Amino acid sequence: MRSPIVSTKLQRIAEQAVNEPDKVFTNLMYLVDEDFLKEAYQNIRKDAAPGLDGVTAREYGENLDENLQNLHERMRTGRYRAPAVKRIWLEKEDGRKRPIGIPEIEDKIVQRAVSMVLSAVYEQDFYDFSYGFRPGHGPHQALKAIWQQCMGMNIGWIIDADVSGFFDNLNHPYLLDILKLRVNDGGLIRFVGKWLNAGVVDGKSLSYPEAGTPQGGVICPILANVFLHHVLDEWFVKEVRPRMKGRCFLCRFADDFIIGFEREEDARRVMEVLPKRFDRYKLTIHPEKTQLVAFQKPNVQQAAGKGEDSFVFLGFTHYWGKSRQNNWVIKRKTAAKRLRRSMRNVWDWCRKNRHLPLREQYRMLCLKLNGHYQYYGIRGNFVMLWVLYRKAEKAWRYWLSHRSSKGGIPWEKFRLLRISFPLPMPRIVHSI
């Protein structure tokens, strides 16, 4: 539960932001006292990997009050230094790797505190069509909004956009200038500047990136949303939409976004100016991955059960298909790349962990399947859930039968195993 003192502070900031939409906040960092830092500590993950100093959140919490008192004193007197960030690499769907930064525990606490302050201001400014990393917003709300707007606005054209390396190439001076339009607190800006310029340790090498945000850092999502709110969201609402001849909408999740149009001429006009808008802020709209998709409802006379055109967003392929009442509706299914990745992950996990006790294997497979269903279990996607379920069952049986050179569990015993350890069946979690 949030501290009443901290809640009152944040509520006061939020009310000012609502009542004075043109106000520039110049004095916010004084609010970040020891109570605020303690609240920030409570809001960070306690099981996350430690940074370069090796100190975990739980270890830091063993002497929390004294540690936070020392941290606040260093912040107050200007002696706080943003430590270097440990970099690890995660594999992407296409086989490439993306960098993730792991800050030290104190850095996470201070970043969370500043993020709480910024959110109190900017949550009043952000538009409802921005769904990434915001309280009360999420991918399933975005999917629902896309379906409703495409169906309700007679949308026939979709710009499926891709910003090349957004988090790696975000321009530091532009970001700080955009922040100052609403929050021009010198202390807060200095802290953000420290994080942007903190060193990155990759293996044994230390570097200082000149662009990009600290991926993996607690502060990263709010900074990305602030930047794109100015570059894309406000531009769309104030300059693009009023000039369109037909209806249109924008849906954004962090740096992934689509723009839907009723008329082709509007879509082509925006498709032409979109790269110029991002180039103005030193970002690139990927010329090959960004595409204009003709997404019209198929002709009434078409007998086929599926439309020809589709687009992928938030891990789902969106396409036209026939409903049970034989009407054309927009359907969603797990994107092919995401499904292949999930199947490969299950197969690899079963291979690497086939010697674990059966009960432990069963527990982990249940977690993996239920986690998949929790995200992809939307109405109309049952078949794709079933595909993964069957793949998991096959992978488990295959690698159990290869536990040793003498052979593992034959099919007859595996059938009995399925009774004792039944994998969770596919289920629809979200009726959207």
Side-chain angles (χ1 to χ4, degrees):
M1 182 179 293
R2 174 164 285 175
S3 164
I5 298 175
V6 174
S7 295
T8 301
K9 291 179 180 180
L10 295 176
Q11 183 63 32
R12 191 179 300 124
I13 297 172
E15 289 175 356
Q16 290 182 31
V18 171
N19 296 330
E20 302 177 67
D22 296 325
K23 176 182 176 64
V24 179
F25 291 84
T26 57
N27 192 17
L28 292 175
M29 277 305 292
Y30 81 95
L31 298 171
V32 182
D33 53 16
E34 291 178 35
D35 288 331
F36 213 98
L37 292 174
K38 192 169 188 177
E39 179 72 21
Y41 171 81
Q42 301 298 338
N43 288 335
I44 64 173
R45 285 182 54 187
K46 305 303 185 293
D47 59 346
L52 289 171
D53 61 358
V55 178
T56 66
R58 290 188 173 87
E59 291 171 345
Y60 191 84
E62 291 174 0
N63 197 16
L64 184 61
D65 291 338
E66 183 178 336
N67 287 334
L68 293 181
Q69 183 179 7
N70 178 272
L71 173 60
H72 180 252
E73 181 64 19
R74 282 182 282 130
M75 292 174 61
R76 188 183 65 82
T77 56
R79 292 182 291 114
Y80 179 81
R81 298 288 182 268
V85 175
K86 180 170 69 174
R87 172 174 286 175
I88 62 173
W89 295 86
L90 298 181
E91 187 173 339
K92 299 175 68 173
E93 296 174 10
D94 55 8
R96 295 182 298 170
K97 293 185 177 182
R98 65 185 181 95
I100 293 293
I102 304 179
E104 295 182 3
I105 180 62
E106 283 196 336
D107 219 25
K108 292 179 183 179
I109 295 171
V110 182
Q111 286 190 29
R112 174 61 70 189
V114 172
S115 177
M116 288 160 58
V117 172
L118 290 176
S119 294
V121 175
Y122 281 102
E123 277 299 319
Q124 321 315 316
D125 298 348
F126 291 156
Y127 294 102
D128 284 340
F129 55 73
S130 170
Y131 292 93
F133 311 112
R134 296 181 56 200
H137 294 69
H140 296 101
Q141 288 91 335
L143 291 168
K144 181 178 181 180
I146 292 170
W147 191 92
Q148 291 175 334
Q149 292 176 107
C150 284
M151 295 292 292
M153 292 183 179
N154 193 31
I155 297 298
W157 297 85
I158 297 287
I159 292 180
D160 182 8
D162 183 274
V163 183
S164 298
F166 170 77
F167 290 99
D168 295 328
N169 297 306
L170 192 148
N171 184 274
H172 292 173
Y174 278 128
L175 172 59
L176 296 177
D177 287 344
I178 290 171
L179 271 175
K180 292 175 184 177
L181 295 175
R182 188 67 156 136
V183 178
N184 196 12
D185 182 310
L188 188 149
I189 295 297
R190 280 193 295 274
F191 274 102
V192 173
K194 288 178 181 181
W195 293 319
L196 293 177
N197 295 303
V200 175
V201 175
D202 190 350
K204 295 183 178 180
S205 64
L206 173 65
S207 61
Y208 294 89
E210 297 181 358
T213 59
Q215 287 194 62
V218 178
I219 196 70
C220 181
I222 184 67
L223 294 181
N225 275 333
V226 168
F227 192 90
L228 288 170
H229 171 75
H230 177 81
V231 174
L232 178 63
D233 301 353
E234 283 194 326
W235 174 69
F236 175 80
V237 170
K238 297 179 179 180
E239 298 186 37
V240 174
R241 193 161 60 188
R243 291 178 169 83
M244 298 294 98
K245 295 182 179 180
R247 292 173 290 184
C248 61
F249 75 88
L250 168 65
C251 183
R252 181 174 68 81
F253 193 94
D255 61 322
D256 294 326
F257 66 93
I258 62 167
I259 311 178
F261 301 88
E262 185 178 16
R263 303 179 61 152
E264 180 181 0
E265 58 184 300
D266 289 340
R268 295 197 178 279
R269 286 174 61 195
V270 175
M271 187 72 172
E272 182 179 349
V273 300
L274 190 64
K276 300 175 184 177
R277 174 66 181 178
F278 276 77
D279 182 65
R280 178 178 171 184
Y281 293 90
K282 308 297 183 183
L283 291 172
T284 303
I285 295 293
H286 199 293
E288 297 176 358
K289 293 183 179 180
T290 300
Q291 55 183 336
L292 178 60
V293 179
F295 198 63
Q296 295 98 336
K297 181 188 297 186
N299 192 292
V300 178
Q301 283 75 35
Q302 270 186 257
K306 180 181 176 182
E308 295 181 359
D309 299 305
S310 63
F311 66 94
V312 175
F313 188 63
L314 295 178
F316 290 89
T317 298
H318 303 247
Y319 64 99
W320 285 98
K322 286 291 187 72
S323 69
R324 293 181 179 179
Q325 291 75 33
N326 205 36
N327 298 319
W328 285 107
V329 296
I330 295 173
K331 295 186 175 183
R332 288 76 54 94
K333 65 180 180 179
T334 308
K337 284 185 178 180
R338 294 289 186 93
L339 182 60
R340 286 196 297 269
R341 182 180 67 179
S342 296
M343 292 192 297
R344 182 175 67 249
N345 287 343
V346 168
W347 183 269
D348 290 343
W349 189 91
C350 289
R351 175 177 59 84
K352 294 175 183 178
N353 298 277
R354 62 186 183 271
H355 297 295
L356 290 177
L358 286 179
R359 191 169 297 277
E360 178 63 16
Q361 291 189 48
Y362 173 70
R363 186 183 70 84
M364 289 302 301
L365 285 172
C366 287
L367 288 175
K368 290 179 178 295
L369 288 174
N370 283 325
H372 186 89
Y373 302 156
Q374 190 65 37
Y375 184 82
Y376 292 101
I378 69 171
R379 188 170 58 188
N381 194 38
F382 187 85
V383 172
M384 295 295 103
L385 302 182
W386 184 257
V387 170
L388 180 65
Y389 169 80
R390 296 295 293 173
K391 182 68 174 182
E393 194 175 54
K394 179 180 178 181
W396 199 23
R397 175 196 168 192
Y398 179 88
W399 288 111
L400 283 178
S401 67
H402 288 73
R403 294 182 78 169
S404 69
S405 58
K406 298 180 180 179
I409 298 178
W411 171 241
E412 292 75 15
K413 288 188 177 181
F414 186 74
R415 291 177 62 184
L416 296 176
L417 179 70
R418 292 171 65 190
I419 298 174
S420 302
F421 299 100
L423 293 178
M425 298 290 288
R427 67 184 190 279
I428 300 302
V429 180
H430 307 279
S431 182
I432 57 175

